[in-house]
């Protein structure tokens, strides 16, 4: 059920001491490792499974500024620049292409939201064009549907989820970083409120700076040290076709989204639909998540599944010298929701006759971790000196990954980030402030 993934080798020996340990080999962890190694710091990237094996290889691959919440727009612009720079400097093809993204809808309310967003876009220099009905139907012709309009985000693009995080990690290794896969971080070695190391299943690495970029597992890792990080995950389903007719590089409709991959296949998913599974962690953080749940109720299916009893949101307790939940589940690999898979295939074939012969090459499920306001957390942790968090990317992590990683790297190294990162501070979610759910 896992999607395609470029596999890379691990460094054989765990270092005794480094400047920074990064926990989690997704797009943010890999990119933060790269940015810090590029500045000459000795960095160890540790990953319980394989680099890029969870959400970083299970997403659409969109790298966009279009329709971002204002709090994310500075980061999205920075990310697009960094995607360009990394693609040039690392020496490996990350699959990043500024192909433009095309959106079409027959929902007047959605079209009005896109149109209203243009005023915000102008303030941040985002190149976006509203499409009238004729233009939308020419750009995204669909059988049995007449679009009333759409959007063309000209400078946005896509990356290749199966290769981006692993190849960025390889870029970091070329600069002196070490990569350690199948090596779970069990916890921090803390003395007098300060980080002194990371305890892994293979030994302890001495360090006084740690970045936790553990995706859906971040809250569990924080809770192990008495740190509250409100986080919940929704389960999504996607598929990849076999190579097929090209109908466009990146398409969004109110029914499905399609992204063309380098090999001529498509990643396909139902737009805006997810499954919320009740879990102990979800119950713990139900109150701060209630505004989001009420706002997005129509797009969420609800049930109780296996994740109540095992995984990042289950009731987990362990010690640093015992087997942790991260070792029990090396790769969070939920099954695709069969009904959503069937609906996706039927919808694509009915909308786009050119894809009527579409065959599924692979399908998968994923857990998309979110914060109560759908805005990431990139923040120092006040309770533990030297501990930093980069998680809760709320389905925006792949495209925003380089920018978020750049901000995180600066914070870890004690430097002022290139953009204002105050909106990403963890304090907003735990100090009783009113939750302002992201607009998009």
């Amino acid at each position: 059920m896992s999607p395609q993934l470029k596999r890379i080798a691990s460094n054989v020996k765990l270092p005794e001491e480094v400047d920074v340990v990064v926990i989690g080999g997704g797009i943010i962890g890999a990119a933060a490792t790269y940015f810090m190694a590029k500045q000459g710091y000795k960095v160890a990237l540790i990953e319980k499974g394989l680099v890029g094996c969870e959400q970083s290889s299970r997403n659409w691959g969109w790298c966009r500024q279009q329709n971002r919440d204002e709090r994310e727009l500075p980061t999205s612009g920075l990310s697009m620049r960094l995607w360009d720079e990394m693609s040039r400097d690392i020496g490996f093809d990350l699959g990043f292409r500024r192909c433009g993204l095309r959106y079409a809808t027959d929902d007047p309310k959605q079209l009005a939201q896109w149109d209203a967003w243009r005023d915000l876009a102008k303030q941040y220099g985002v190149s976006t064009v509203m499409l009238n009905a004729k233009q939308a139907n020419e750009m995204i012709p669909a059988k049995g549907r007449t679009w009333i309009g759409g959007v063309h985000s000209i400078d946005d693009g896509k990356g290749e989820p199966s290769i981006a995080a692993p190849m960025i990690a390889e870029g970091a290794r070329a600069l002196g970083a070490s990569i350690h896969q199948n090596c779970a971080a069990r916890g921090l070695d803390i003395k007098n409120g300060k980080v002194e190391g990371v305890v892994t299943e293979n030994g302890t690495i001495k360090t006084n700076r740690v970045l936790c970029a553990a995706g859906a597992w971040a809250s569990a890792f924080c809770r192990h040290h008495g740190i509250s990080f409100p986080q919940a995950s929704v389960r999504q389903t996607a598929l990849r076709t076999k190579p097929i007719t090209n109908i466009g590089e990146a398409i969004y409709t109110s029914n499905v989204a399609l992204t063309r991959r380098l090999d001529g296949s498509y990643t396909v998913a139902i737009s805006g639909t997810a499954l919320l599974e009740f879990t102990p962690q979800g119950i713990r953080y139900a109150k701060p998540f209630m505004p989001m749940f009420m706002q997005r109720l129509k797009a969420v299916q609800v049930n109780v599944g296996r994740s109540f009893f095992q995984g990042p949101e289950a009731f987990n307790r362990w010690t640093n010298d015992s087997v942790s939940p991260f070792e029990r589940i090396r790769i969070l690999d939920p099954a695709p929701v069969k009904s959503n898979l069937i609906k996706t295939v039927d919808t694509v074939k009915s909308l786009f006759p050119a894809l009527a012969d579409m065959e599924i090459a692979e399908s998968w499920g994923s857990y998309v971790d979110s914060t109560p306001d759908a805005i990431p957390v990139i923040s120092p942790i006040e309770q533990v000196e030297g501990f930093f968090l980069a998680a809760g990317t709320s389905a925006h992590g792949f495209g925003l990954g380089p920018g978020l990683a750049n901000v995180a790297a600066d914070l870890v190294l004690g430097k002022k980030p290139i953009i204002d990162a105050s909106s990403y501070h963890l304090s907003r979610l735990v100090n009783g402030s009113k939750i302002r759910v992201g607009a998009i």
Side-chain angles (χ1 to χ4, degrees):
M1 290 180 288
S2 293
Q4 281 184 340
L5 179 67
K6 174 70 175 179
R7 297 200 175 196
I8 61 174
S10 294
N11 289 80
V12 175
K13 187 178 180 182
L14 203 67
E16 292 184 4
E17 185 171 1
V18 295
D19 297 317
V20 185
V21 171
V22 177
I23 300 171
I27 194 76
I28 294 177
T33 300
Y34 170 77
F35 292 132
M36 290 187 283
K38 192 175 182 180
Q39 297 177 67
Y41 290 88
K42 187 177 181 182
V43 187
L45 174 63
I46 58 176
E47 162 59 47
K48 66 181 177 60
L50 302 172
V51 170
C53 66
E54 293 191 344
Q55 186 56 22
S56 290
S57 60
R58 297 165 188 262
N59 59 83
W60 298 359
W62 285 29
C63 304
R64 64 180 173 88
Q65 300 171 88
Q66 180 68 39
N67 294 340
R68 292 289 186 203
D69 185 273
E70 184 173 8
R71 289 165 286 182
E72 293 181 332
L73 271 171
T75 312
S76 66
L78 172 62
S79 289
M80 295 302 289
R81 176 170 66 81
L82 292 172
W83 274 113
D84 280 328
E85 292 179 3
M86 289 192 303
S87 298
R88 178 195 68 210
D89 297 341
I90 285 178
F92 301 104
D93 186 0
L94 307 179
F96 177 67
R97 307 286 189 270
R98 284 185 181 259
C99 59
L101 308 179
R102 299 178 180 185
Y103 302 69
T105 186
D106 53 7
D107 181 355
K109 183 178 179 181
Q110 187 172 56
L111 188 64
Q113 290 173 339
W114 291 345
D115 191 27
W117 186 84
R118 282 195 305 160
D119 292 334
L120 185 62
K122 292 174 184 176
Q123 299 175 37
Y124 291 90
V126 179
S127 183
T128 184
V129 177
M130 291 297 297
L131 304 176
N132 60 32
K134 181 175 182 293
Q135 293 168 326
N137 285 284
E138 287 176 349
M139 281 191 170
I140 309 177
K143 181 181 178 181
R145 298 291 289 276
T146 301
W147 311 124
I148 63 173
V151 176
H152 183 203
S153 57
I154 300 168
D155 295 331
D156 288 350
K158 61 179 184 176
E160 198 77 2
S162 64
I163 62 176
M167 291 299 93
I168 293 170
E170 285 287 23
R173 177 156 37 206
L175 296 169
S178 61
I179 314 296
H180 308 277
Q181 299 171 106
N182 292 305
C183 179
R186 290 176 171 173
L188 304 174
D189 181 15
I190 301 172
K191 288 185 174 60
N192 299 319
K194 298 180 181 180
V195 169
E196 291 199 350
V198 175
V199 181
T200 81
E201 61 181 293
N202 297 325
T204 299
I205 307 174
K206 294 181 180 178
T207 186
N208 57 14
R209 286 173 284 194
V210 176
L211 174 64
C212 178
W217 299 87
S219 185
F221 188 88
C222 288
R223 189 166 61 252
H224 178 61
H225 295 287
I227 299 162
S228 178
F229 169 38
Q231 181 186 39
S233 296
V234 293
R235 181 174 160 190
Q236 293 189 331
T237 293
L239 64 88
R240 184 179 65 84
T241 72
K242 293 181 179 180
I244 197 168
T245 304
N246 188 353
I247 64 167
E249 294 298 315
I251 295 171
Y252 176 94
T253 76
S254 43
N255 301 96
V256 293
L258 302 95
T259 313
R260 193 162 180 85
R261 305 267 63 102
L262 294 180
D263 66 355
S265 64
Y266 277 99
T267 297
V268 187
I270 298 176
S271 308
T273 297
L275 175 65
L276 176 66
E277 297 180 331
F278 283 115
T279 64
Q281 183 169 293
I283 295 170
R284 180 182 296 110
Y285 293 125
K287 183 176 179 180
F289 272 95
M290 191 56 65
M292 179 190 289
F293 182 73
M294 296 305 296
Q295 182 172 316
R296 303 182 180 182
L297 185 63
K298 291 182 180 179
V300 177
Q301 305 161 330
V302 181
N303 78 355
V304 177
R306 189 176 298 175
S307 60
F308 191 94
F309 305 100
Q310 62 183 27
E313 297 192 16
F315 182 77
N316 292 307
R317 282 188 177 177
W318 70 97
T319 61
N320 285 356
D321 58 0
S322 65
V323 175
S324 69
F326 318 116
E327 295 153 75
R328 296 190 185 100
I329 301 180
R330 294 288 179 185
I331 298 176
L332 193 58
D333 188 26
V337 178
K338 189 174 181 180
S339 59
N340 288 348
L341 204 58
I342 294 171
K343 182 179 178 182
T344 302
V345 172
D346 290 345
T347 301
V348 170
K349 289 185 175 183
S350 63
L351 274 180
F352 303 108
L355 303 183
D357 296 329
M358 169 182 102
E359 295 182 65
I360 298 177
E362 57 186 358
S363 60
W364 60 86
S366 64
Y367 284 106
V368 180
D369 71 298
S370 181
T371 61
D373 57 6
I375 300 297
V377 168
I378 312 293
S379 176
I381 302 301
E382 296 175 357
Q383 299 98 309
V384 181
E385 185 178 334
F387 184 46
F388 299 80
L389 180 62
T393 53
S394 309
H396 303 164
F398 186 82
L400 289 180
L404 295 173
N406 190 270
V407 169
D410 282 343
L411 290 175
V412 170
L413 299 178
K415 300 179 179 181
K416 183 178 180 180
I418 194 171
I419 61 171
D420 181 6
S422 58
S423 294
Y424 298 145
H425 203 284
L426 175 61
S427 61
R428 75 183 194 274
L429 302 177
V430 295
N431 64 6
S433 298
K434 184 179 180 180
I435 300 296
R436 181 162 64 94
V437 179
I440 301 298

